[in-house]
Amino acid sequence: MAGSGFGTLFRVTTWGESHGYGIGAVVDGCPAGLPMDEEYIQQYLDRRKPGGRAFSTPRREEDKVRILSGCFEGRTTGTPISLMIENKDQHSADYGELANAWRPGHADFGFDSKYGFRDYRGGGRSSGRETAARVAAGAIAARMLSEKGIHVQAWVSAIGPYICDASRFDPDEIMRNPFAMPDADAAREAEAYLTRLREEQDSTGSEVTCIVKGLPAGIGEPVFDKLDARLAQAVFSIGAVKAVEIGDGKAVVSSRGSENNDPFRVQDGRVVCTSNHAGGILGGISTGADILLRASFKPTPSIFREQKTVTKDLKETDLSIRGRHDPVIGPRAAVVVEMMTALTVADLYLMAETGRLDQI
Amino acid sequence: MAGSGFGTLFRVTTWGESHGYGIGAVVDGCPAGLPMDEEYIQQYLDRRKPGGRAFSTPRREEDKVRILSGCFEGRTTGTPISLMIENKDQHSADYGELANAWRPGHADFGFDSKYGFRDYRGGGRSSGRETAARVAAGAIAARMLSEKGIHVQAWVSAIGPYICDASRFDPDEIMRNPFAMPDADAAREAEAYLTRLREEQDSTGSEVTCIVKGLPAGIGEPVFDKLDARLAQAVFSIGAVKAVEIGDGKAVVSSRGSENNDPFRVQDGRVVCTSNHAGGILGGISTGADILLRASFKPTPSIFREQKTVTKDLKETDLSIRGRHDPVIGPRAAVVVEMMTALTVADLYLMAETGRLDQI
Amino acid sequence: MAGSGFGTLFRVTTWGESHGYGIGAVVDGCPAGLPMDEEYIQQYLDRRKPGGRAFSTPRREEDKVRILSGCFEGRTTGTPISLMIENKDQHSADYGELANAWRPGHADFGFDSKYGFRDYRGGGRSSGRETAARVAAGAIAARMLSEKGIHVQAWVSAIGPYICDASRFDPDEIMRNPFAMPDADAAREAEAYLTRLREEQDSTGSEVTCIVKGLPAGIGEPVFDKLDARLAQAVFSIGAVKAVEIGDGKAVVSSRGSENNDPFRVQDGRVVCTSNHAGGILGGISTGADILLRASFKPTPSIFREQKTVTKDLKETDLSIRGRHDPVIGPRAAVVVEMMTALTVADLYLMAETGRLDQI
Amino acid sequence: MAGSGFGTLFRVTTWGESHGYGIGAVVDGCPAGLPMDEEYIQQYLDRRKPGGRAFSTPRREEDKVRILSGCFEGRTTGTPISLMIENKDQHSADYGELANAWRPGHADFGFDSKYGFRDYRGGGRSSGRETAARVAAGAIAARMLSEKGIHVQAWVSAIGPYICDASRFDPDEIMRNPFAMPDADAAREAEAYLTRLREEQDSTGSEVTCIVKGLPAGIGEPVFDKLDARLAQAVFSIGAVKAVEIGDGKAVVSSRGSENNDPFRVQDGRVVCTSNHAGGILGGISTGADILLRASFKPTPSIFREQKTVTKDLKETDLSIRGRHDPVIGPRAAVVVEMMTALTVADLYLMAETGRLDQI
């Protein structure tokens, strides 16, 4: 189980490299009876698609998903759902020299150290392309959650120094601008910044924020499978993530208990928190408040500038990476964060179904 | 598997509540032949012990660990190692009223939502006391790693606004001052700050930093069981953690690729990175550089000030928490971060043993 | 995870050797709210107890179970239930020479090959004593099942050539005679046979039959976690089992489809099978009919006769095993089969709770 | 994780139904560097293929396997190996009436009870066709084992009352006759018997025997993941298996310890057993002797004779199954037993790699 599977009850296993036949995922444990078709999944994949947006790689991946099993007459049957996306438009030639020199900021050196050799075309298994399989699988989790009134949404909250302003938050903007930012002004500034970076053959970091609405209290297991612990694993399993925060996140270090504790009150006969510093999770278990999560993405490591590196025969060299690369990761990764969140919540939601004798 | 187990090959399962008979852990999968005795484990538990340090709770837990199985003639046998720590000096009476009102910032409300009822004495399973079992188990992982030349160390890098200065880093200071801080000046400032907070019946957040030295390149699995993803789950599974960062962490958002990529060079016939923004992990796999990890801990939620909350019969009320509580979590939690890191690295280290045909 | 854990949702981890401090089990995933106390568990342990019955080893193990965690005010809390049985009355001296020569029919040689050394006292981890921990854990599963109207019972159906006759089946006999046989005549014959074997310093094989009543249709997962597949693993994990059969078992080889297929009919508005060759399982999923399972136990390998074997320094030798050993395994193992069946069914019962969208 | 995955380190996940787009498997955890191509896998699939042999269904499944990922330049890369076999030559129309009436001896009723509805075409997920995916995955395990000098082989040892005679055992016969029987005489008798059964619109049970040669001592985990326990799960997970035996199997019930214990001797400086009643496993761990396993298969449940059953609206009815069905399961299932054995042994072989400190 070399780590290509995630989840206990709602379990996804992904496969595939950027330059082989294709990529895919098998979802085992999706409950029977969920309405499902390829169109539903495709809309999530389209949000990840490059080429549809300015400032993302011109490579035209069609990313058409096919459901190969597990659905019958428009509904899931409870058996494994196999999803496949064929690879198109591959230019392996572009990657030829990467067989010899390890790209800085990439997994190449680690793979060679681990396995002795690797599929060097386009990053192979460590390519961002692998995340398309997760998005396809995550769409099924998102559908299951939405049937239960639980909704997950992610967006880009910062690109380099340009940070979305909460006061200008417009949910429709997320799908409208090419950066998945909910603040049109920030998106405009980010655009100018990215143009400059392109010219400078450089790239920038970014931040993705994700929210889960409608999750009832009581989801998450108390110790190692805390909701926040599993979310952190899920989101950190996306390449390029270097930090995950829940609720106030890193700001808690300089906070005080009297500020940070969210008071409980009663509203319409339900227990609510009147603030949400905790991001909806206490002791690893949901409180019924919105789940708030942020992920910090490092700058795209593939930059056109010359970089110092080493070849397989341990000679120092300078490497210029060619090919097609986005100067920022967040805009295409936002839906990946959203889908990894959906997969995690779906799994722990099912797990919570078996926690009480009076409910089984 | 309600989440009380962690790890695939080096697997720990913890049990116990703060006010029952005791707490414990079962370690399954520790290789046979590792030297082990209770004294070795005890030294780690002593670092977590309250009462030994100023500004930590005066409750005198002895926390004496016993090895109940899995060792014979001073070595591990390959069979499960059962560890137990009896609970002493419990004052359940102190916790009586907590049966009725949910403490803000605590897991109480989530547990009641999830299970219908809970052991309300001292937080029950969600008590920080559960982490003593992890420390005991982690000590075994740390011993296994040290036999392979891998060393893990954690310390407190910030208490509220008081941050350790890298230029004053003194490793011996970590064991010397009551705050596990490697900077004696910062420790003095933190002490004054905590005195003030005590008077104000308040608490503060803190930050723990952890480093792994000597880990070879090639450890970590490429997709969901990335080294950083598993570390994030491990550290977020410690109550009160609200952010985990690897390498530059959150700072990558405003960084550029040209700064953030660590160049590869050759040194003494080995591949090295000349900087370490990545914190020793690329694509989820170790590069041979030091692993760098930071965890942000929220302020202790148990404060003596009155707080607004709700009772089980949904009446709004004010709650004053009594009992013994540290005004900051980091100093006792540092060894917990260290041990969760050791458990994670030990597990993925064993996993990597089976990755190549020429090595099995 | 060196195989000391079993189950996905209702998960048991056992620990301990025959001659260490004690043995135990941690049950993770038992739903909250189940009535539970030590007396309930003890009655199952007492059925496994030696010394209480003629023809079982005179060693007086008290086997008193303690619940160390996971229960509060007489009910399970949903958190791990830690169970411990201290070892008493150990005579390690008896086992001294076993450190050097491998006992035929025992796991000694395998352990030494695997781990390089072993705890040689009384079989260590491979001792039948380990199964007491499973019985304690299984009692919790059995209680959960009985709350749902599901009842598991096992008995000895054959000792050597003496086979219980279905026409003389008397359920009360199972608890009455020392061999757990439901046929008093067969029990008498077995007794005479065992007396003879004692004199001849020999032992005999036996068969245990287990039935599950009240299990609804639809339990079991379709492929690798078929109900029968998981039962087979569970029962084969008991040392000395050499065959597991479901329904007609081995007899199906010479059967015909027209005989073997159980016809479906409608009875009181429910679908029933008018015969039960399948033993209540088709395609790995329960049909609502009784689950029927049989396990074949080899003769006790510890016999007093001299046997040919080899010492650690590869010298051939003759070995006479001393100490206390039953001449037949089934009578004490019946409750172990029953409890492993209960653990398996409980786990798959919980798993089935998450199979349909309209039920979650 | 609804049971479509098997194995901890060498893990296979299967997907697909008999009448959808196709079936497949994902193998995660195969070590890097193993030579692999489609031809190698195909030879195992061809042994399972119907139509190539008399007395097997005339349906012409081509069963051409494709490797979609995880191999590069003729070797495995350590990343998931995705295998796919497209479904051809489906006649869903044949199965139309099966939507309404539950076939006796089949999983239909269980699936409907479990999931509320099912893909009724040809058995859907419970079809024997699913095992083709296991054979493809198992071929990779078999290749890994053969690189380590471990060889697995299975054959049909009985069809109805016609049992292969050990004295006529001819390994070449297994691939030569249409029944995979190593005894040409028994194969001839079986042929005549099957002709008669065809005329009588009936079917027969059968037995498959499997042997593992070259497995070193020390493989298998001591408690729940015993080598025999995991083999039993693996083989029982093949539909229609009703008994699994190791070594002497069911015959141990009437055996004596003095006969059943295999004496240890020294031969060419190695420890050997001079008999093999145990089938190469003691206490769940291999002894270095051949692993011997037998599986009893029930008669094919699909018979052309009219059978009593019930429709979905709970009306009693008579059902005649049409379509193409073998009158005996063993001949096509032998390679499935072989491959499930290979998958199990490969997984526990890798697991044993991490058992000793001096070997990691």
Side-chain angles (χ1 to χ4, degrees), chain B residues 128-151:
Chain B
R129 182 154 178 73
E130 180 271 337
T131 61
R134 307 188 192 192
V135 171
I140 297 171
R143 180 77 173 251
M144 184 190 100
L145 294 175
S146 81
E147 295 275 329
K148 300 290 164 186
I150 303 161
H151 300 281

Side-chain angles (χ1 to χ4, degrees), chain B residues 173-252:
Chain B
E173 239 343 272
I174 298 169
M175 301 296 181
R176 206 183 292 143
N177 71 63
F179 308 110
M181 286 179 121
D183 169 351
D185 290 2
R188 252 187 307 277
E189 292 173 319
E191 181 162 3
Y193 183 55
L194 292 169
T195 304
R196 236 177 314 139
L197 286 171
R198 272 253 149 102
E199 288 161 8
E200 297 172 17
Q201 301 192 314
D202 214 336
S203 62
T204 180
S206 52
E207 185 190 70
V208 170
T209 294
C210 186
I211 191 167
V212 184
K213 286 181 171 297
L215 189 66
I219 308 300
E221 301 301 317
V223 181
F224 299 110
D225 286 350
K226 284 184 164 78
L227 177 53
D228 35 2
R230 293 287 305 282
L231 284 170
Q233 180 195 355
V235 174
F236 252 115
S237 78
I238 306 169
V241 169
K242 301 305 283 186
V244 169
E245 302 172 282
I246 301 288
D248 283 2
K250 203 169 157 58
V252 297

Side-chain angles (χ1 to χ4, degrees), chain B residues 1-4 8-9 14-15 17 21 28 66 68-70 72-73 76-77 79-80 82 115 117 120-121 125, chain C residues 1-4 8-9 14-15 17 21 28 66 68-70 72 76-77 79-80 82 115 117 119-121 125:
Chain B
M1 189 161 50
S4 297
T8 300
L9 289 175
T14 72
W15 57 267
E17 289 86 30
Y21 174 81
D28 196 23
R66 294 190 58 179
L68 303 182
S69 68
F72 186 58
E73 300 180 342
T76 59
T77 60
T79 63
S82 180
Y115 297 122
F117 78 119
Y120 48 76
R121 299 165 302 167
R125 182 71 177 150
Chain C
M1 190 160 51
S4 296
T8 299
L9 289 176
T14 71
W15 57 267
E17 289 86 28
Y21 175 81
D28 196 22
R66 294 189 60 177
L68 304 182
S69 69
F72 186 58
T76 59
T77 60
T79 63
S82 179
Y115 297 122
F117 79 117
D119 179 348
Y120 47 76
R121 299 166 303 168
R125 182 71 176 149

Side-chain angles (χ1 to χ4, degrees), chain A residues 45-82:
Chain A
L45 277 170
D46 288 350
R47 285 172 54 197
R48 193 198 152 276
K49 211 192 285 190
R53 296 177 155 166
F55 290 100
S56 80
T57 139
R59 171 173 172 184
R60 228 183 103 264
E61 303 177 79
E62 291 194 14
D63 277 3
K64 282 292 169 208
V65 70
R66 294 190 58 177
I67 299 177
L68 303 183
S69 68
C71 294
F72 186 57
E73 300 180 344
R75 287 186 294 157
T76 59
T77 60
T79 63
I81 304 168
S82 180

Side-chain angles (χ1 to χ4, degrees), chain C residues 34-89:
Chain C
L34 182 70
M36 187 54 51
D37 54 38
E38 293 170 353
E39 286 64 38
Y40 183 84
I41 299 174
Q42 193 63 45
Q43 63 182 325
Y44 286 92
L45 278 170
D46 288 350
R47 284 171 54 198
R48 193 197 151 278
K49 211 191 284 189
R53 295 176 156 167
F55 292 98
S56 81
T57 140
R59 172 174 170 183
R60 228 183 103 264
E61 303 177 79
E62 293 194 12
D63 277 0
K64 283 290 170 212
V65 69
R66 294 189 60 177
I67 298 176
L68 304 182
S69 69
C71 294
F72 186 58
E73 299 180 343
R75 286 188 293 158
T76 59
T77 60
T79 63
I81 305 168
S82 179
L83 302 164
M84 186 171 67
I85 303 164
E86 289 185 34
N87 287 334
K88 310 261 186 190
D89 184 31

